[in-house]
Amino acid sequence: MTTLLEGIEQQVVRTDRLRASVLRHGGAGRPVVLVHGNVSSSSFFQPLMLALPRPTVAIDLRGYGDSEALPVDATRGLRDFADDVASVLDAMGVADAHVLGWSMGGGVVMQLMLDRPDLIRSVTLMAPVPPQGFGTRLDGTLCTPDGAGTGGLAANPDFIARLAAGDTTDDEPTSPRSVFRSSYVAPGFSDEHEDLWVESMLSTRTGEGNQPGDGTASDAWPGFAAGARGVLNTMSGVHLDLTGIVDLERKPAILWIRGAHDAIVSDESFFDLNTLGKHGIVPGWPGEEAAPPQPMVSQTRAVLDAYAAKGGWYQEVVFEHAGHSPHLEDPERFRQLLLAHVTAND
């Protein structure tokens, strides 16, 4: 069970799709809905929830936290998660809310923009997944038709094994605690809640239907490609394309926040197989033309520029000293920015 900070309430919401765990905190005004990313849970939002003067709702996605561990159909992109979130909000009577998505959760929120615009008043994207999926170029085209180098087989097997084993140590670079320190936050960050963050990471269910998913063989380097089941495959460019937000009739204002030292989502991320190949970490890289490091941040900016050109609005804010988790690393600045954004769009 999730460790709760004082003031946070947990409830179970049952819908026709799943049994979901939801964290809540009170307040006045239009609610803020928080959607977490991969290898995490709603627990990562607890300090932010306590700091906001508005009602907050944080939903554990399927296979994370205390929600039901249902399998993920990756051929639907992130729609399994988005449909789950929508069903929970419908059951709770929440609509026209301010919605924040972190990392993979940013992609879930963009999918909600497409499928359930009635749920969303404003959007905050924190270090979001690139909107045209992994394994793509700046213009969104796939580097290979099958998404070589993406999907479930791209995960580090030792990290997955340590997740499954509930490893709380920092004995190896692939221990979840070590990965938190090296990848979720900028170097040097520490706070009093690290055990809670590790607990949240370890709530991730593993297996082909969940984290990381399956895969297929590929004739292209590095010899495997995206599969059809599980979390990492949902974000392959083979299955994911969120550029439809550009043509939405009703375009909620978007606040995009990212850390300058983000090790996970960047234009040359070491979570990208092509980057690892370029730097000689994975042998046999076929070169920049065939397998370029993915410009994740630049792709997000290009899609949001197109969104703005068609009548939308967005603001990009860079936290110069933060990594993948600006809400943890500079919480007061993050709180002020988020509150200003939701207030301006109430």
Side-chain angles (χ1 to χ4, degrees):
M1 291 292 292
T2 296
T3 299
L4 300 178
L5 300 182
E6 186 176 355
I8 300 293
E9 297 179 355
Q10 184 176 24
Q11 70 178 96
V12 174
V13 176
R14 290 178 169 83
T15 78
D16 60 357
R17 292 187 55 80
L18 82 165
R19 183 184 70 255
S21 173
V22 177
L23 300 186
R24 302 187 71 172
H25 184 252
R30 194 180 303 278
V32 178
V33 175
L34 306 167
V35 183
H36 68 82
N38 191 19
V39 193
S40 65
S41 72
S42 58
S43 272
F44 269 91
F45 291 125
Q46 290 193 61
L48 174 63
M49 296 171 74
L50 292 171
L52 291 175
R54 289 172 172 263
T56 51
V57 176
I59 302 167
D60 284 338
L61 300 174
R62 63 169 63 194
Y64 299 92
D66 294 323
S67 284
E68 197 171 358
L70 298 174
V72 177
D73 179 359
T75 66
R76 305 185 72 231
L78 290 166
R79 276 196 171 93
D80 271 1
F81 295 125
D83 288 351
D84 290 348
V85 170
S87 74
V88 171
L89 295 179
D90 287 343
M92 297 177 68
V94 174
D96 201 26
H98 301 288
V99 184
L100 178 153
W102 173 35
S103 196
M104 180 181 77
V108 175
V109 169
M110 284 186 270
Q111 191 66 62
L112 280 173
M113 291 170 67
L114 292 169
D115 297 340
R116 290 295 305 275
D118 58 300
L119 296 176
I120 298 175
R121 172 61 67 102
S122 77
V123 169
T124 301
L125 302 175
M126 179 170 60
V129 60
Q132 287 157 294
F134 294 110
T136 58
R137 303 174 189 272
L138 180 59
D139 64 359
T141 57
L142 285 160
C143 295
T144 66
D146 59 356
T150 69
L153 298 181
N156 183 301
D158 192 57
F159 174 64
I160 300 301
R162 290 175 182 275
L163 279 180
D167 178 11
T168 62
T169 73
D170 60 0
D171 293 346
E172 298 292 338
T174 50
S175 299
R177 189 180 299 271
S178 299
V179 171
F180 171 80
R181 293 173 181 172
S182 66
S183 304
Y184 281 48
V185 292
F189 172 82
S190 65
D191 71 1
E192 70 274 27
H193 297 306
E194 184 176 270
D195 287 346
L196 180 59
W197 311 145
V198 175
E199 173 191 286
S200 176
M201 295 172 71
L202 292 174
S203 76
T204 304
R205 278 37 151 247
T206 58
E208 286 194 348
N210 296 106
Q211 174 69 22
D214 63 5
T216 63
S218 175
D219 292 334
W221 181 90
F224 64 83
R229 303 175 65 226
V231 174
L232 291 189
N233 292 301
T234 67
M235 294 176 281
S236 169
V238 173
H239 303 306
L240 188 69
D241 183 0
L242 301 167
T243 55
I245 65 170
V246 170
D247 296 314
L248 286 172
E249 183 175 345
R250 175 176 173 264
K251 292 183 171 69
I254 297 175
L255 172 64
W256 172 26
I257 296 176
R258 63 182 183 87
H261 301 281
D262 193 334
I264 297 174
V265 175
S266 72
D267 277 358
E268 198 159 310
S269 168
F270 279 84
F271 282 71
D272 172 23
L273 262 291
N274 290 354
T275 299
L276 295 177
K278 178 178 178 178
H279 290 270
I281 298 168
V282 177
W285 183 59
E288 195 94 25
E289 184 174 347
Q294 180 159 357
M296 301 179 192
V297 171
S298 295
Q299 187 183 98
T300 296
R301 187 178 299 116
V303 171
L304 293 182
D305 281 346
Y307 184 83
K310 289 202 171 184
W313 180 93
Y314 86 94
Q315 178 185 13
E316 177 184 356
V317 179
V318 180
F319 280 43
E320 294 295 343
H321 303 292
H324 193 60
S325 311
H327 64 308
L328 302 183
E329 298 169 86
D330 195 344
E332 179 55 24
R333 183 186 179 200
F334 189 91
R335 184 189 73 87
Q336 291 179 7
L337 278 169
L338 178 60
L339 274 180
H341 179 60
V342 300
T343 300
N345 292 285
D346 248 353

